[in-house]
Structures are given as C-alpha cells and as structure tokens.
C-alpha cells in the first residue's frame, strides 16, 4: 500500500509547490528506473543471503523513503530532490519481486491432494493482495491527505512500515524449519565431500525466453 499510495500523494505535492502538470509524470516515472535496475542484483542477493533480509530491505527502505519525502520537499528544488527519493524507493522495492518468488517456492507445500489445494489458495491469496493494495491505497490516501496533509500521510505510512518491518524481523523466516536428521555414522573409507557454494545461474540470461521477459518488464514499467 505505501508504494501505491505515491500515485495519490504526488498530485498534492505538485499542487503545494506550484509545479507544472508535467512534473506529475516525472515524479511518478522516477520510481521505475531504480525498480527495474535492482531486480537482477536482488535475485543474486536472495540466493546469497535468503529471501527474508532482502524483503526486509524493501519494507524498511520504503518506510525510510516516505519519511524522507517531506524533508526532500523543503530543500529548495522539490522536483529534483523528490525524484531522487523516488529512485531510491525503486531501488529498495525491485529486489522484493525475486525474493518473494523464492520465499513462495520454499514455503508453499509440494505434492498432491490437500497440499496442492493449499498451494493454489496460497498463490491466489498473494495475487488478490497485490490486486487489492492499489484500490485500498487509492481510496484511503487522498482522503487522509486532504484531512491531515500529504506530509503527515507520509509519516503515517512510514511508521506503519517500520512497525511491520519489526514484526517481519521477529516472525518471518526465509525457509520452513525442519527437524534435523541424524547424521549417518562415519566409516573409515568415507571422505568428506567438498561443500558447494550456491551461485546465481548467470547463464540463464542467454536464453531467449529470459531476455524477452526482461524486455517486456522494462517496457511495461516505463510505459504505464
């Protein structure tokens, strides 16, 4: 919701500082370069550190961005400073997509029967949540900004994001915890196998289907 609330906050910002109407599009567009540029590094970070800290970066980064927006608007050149803040929000939000995909794969049950039904419901709930967030943000944000000012709405969402980040840190984990299996008894002939380090499969970017998806996402994010 805080991310989609930006669409409703920007018109209030433009009106307060007397910016031309074209500034609305410029401020909204500033988010996407950072969002697109950080997705691939975010995938590598997810492989290296796990999904939880990467998503936490997005949650707290969004909260920090919203808290900085009223400050950036008072620095004398609001169009430039607020655009820089929006790029920063995009950089923190982009890695959340690959991290969420990885966490969903690790947590969703595998198999058939009831487990497959639970997996379908889990996927559907995520899709509905992502679809409902823009509608809820568009309904609440302009009404709150009209009553409280857009600066206070930024602080309100930033505080809510910080609280959610604390709850996420306390309650979430990248993968389900499983009971440790007893280690097999060592034999004299047994040799310790070298420990392989998980790496990002960079060769996948040679595949035409991957390149096509990247081109689609870049075009979609910069044209909508």
């Amino acid at each position: 919701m805080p991310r989609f609330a930006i669409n409703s906050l920007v018109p209030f910002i433009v009106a307060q500082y007397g910016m031309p109407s074209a500034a609305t599009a410029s401020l909204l567009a500033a988010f996407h370069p950072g969002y697109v540029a950080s997705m691939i590094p975010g995938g590598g970070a997810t492989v290296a550190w796990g999904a939880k800290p990467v998503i936490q970066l997005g949650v707290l980064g969004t909260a920090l961005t919203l808290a900085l927006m009223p400050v950036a608007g008072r620095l004398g050149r609001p169009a430039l400073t607020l655009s820089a803040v929006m790029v920063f929000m995009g950089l923190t939000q982009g890695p959340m997509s690959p991290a969420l995909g990885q966490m969903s794969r690790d947590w969703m049950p595998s198999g058939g029967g009831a487990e497959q039904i639970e997996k379908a419901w889990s996927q559907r709930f995520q899709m509905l949540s992502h679809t409902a967030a823009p509608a809820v943000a568009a309904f609440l944000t302009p009404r709150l900004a009209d009553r409280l000012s857009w600066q206070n709405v930024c602080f309100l969402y930033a505080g809510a994001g910080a609280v959610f980040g604390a709850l996420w840190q306390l309650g979430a984990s990248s993968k389900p915890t499983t009971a440790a299996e007893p280690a097999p008894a060592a034999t004299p002939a047994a040799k310790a196998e070298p420990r392989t380090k998980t790496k990002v499969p960079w060769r996948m970017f040679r595949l035409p289907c991957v390149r096509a998806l990247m081109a689609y996402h870049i075009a979609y994010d910069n044209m909508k």
Side-chain angles (χ1 to χ4, degrees):
M1 278 185 57
R3 168 188 162 190
F4 292 113
I6 298 297
N7 296 339
S8 298
L9 289 175
V10 165
F12 286 90
I13 297 171
V14 171
Q16 176 173 342
Y17 292 109
M19 300 180 189
S21 57
T24 301
S26 298
L27 289 174
L28 293 175
F31 171 87
H32 294 289
Y35 184 71
V36 173
S38 60
M39 280 190 176
I40 294 177
T46 301
V47 172
W49 302 321
K52 177 182 176 179
V54 177
I55 294 177
Q56 180 71 292
L57 172 67
V59 173
L60 296 182
T62 301
L64 177 61
T65 302
L66 288 165
L68 288 175
M69 285 182 65
V71 179
R74 296 195 296 265
L75 294 180
R77 300 184 66 182
L80 180 62
T81 54
L82 285 169
S83 293
V85 171
M86 294 297 295
V87 172
F88 175 74
M89 177 184 280
L91 289 172
T92 61
Q93 285 267 334
M96 294 182 71
S97 294
L100 181 59
Q102 179 67 38
M103 180 172 278
S104 297
R105 192 194 72 172
D106 292 335
W107 273 96
M108 286 185 181
S110 58
E115 291 182 345
Q116 193 67 23
I117 295 174
E118 182 180 348
K119 181 176 182 178
W121 276 107
S122 300
Q123 291 176 327
R124 188 60 179 169
F125 180 78
Q126 286 190 22
M127 294 172 62
L128 290 174
S129 299
H130 194 273
T131 304
V136 176
F139 177 81
L140 289 179
T141 304
R143 289 165 173 79
L144 292 174
D146 190 49
R147 290 172 176 262
L148 304 176
S149 80
W150 69 267
Q151 293 93 335
N152 288 330
V153 174
C154 287
F155 292 134
L156 177 65
Y157 283 152
V163 171
F164 184 86
L167 296 174
W168 177 263
Q169 185 64 32
L170 293 173
S173 58
S174 294
K175 295 181 180 180
T177 54
T178 56
E181 297 181 357
T187 61
K191 295 182 179 180
E193 296 182 357
R195 192 173 182 180
T196 58
K197 184 178 180 181
T198 304
K199 296 181 180 180
V200 179
W202 298 112
R203 290 179 297 177
M204 66 181 179
F205 294 106
R206 300 177 183 176
L207 299 176
C209 57
V210 174
R211 294 176 180 176
L213 184 59
M214 292 172 60
Y216 160 77
H217 211 307
I218 292 172
Y220 176 77
D221 281 335
N222 285 282
M223 292 177 62
K224 67 179 181 179

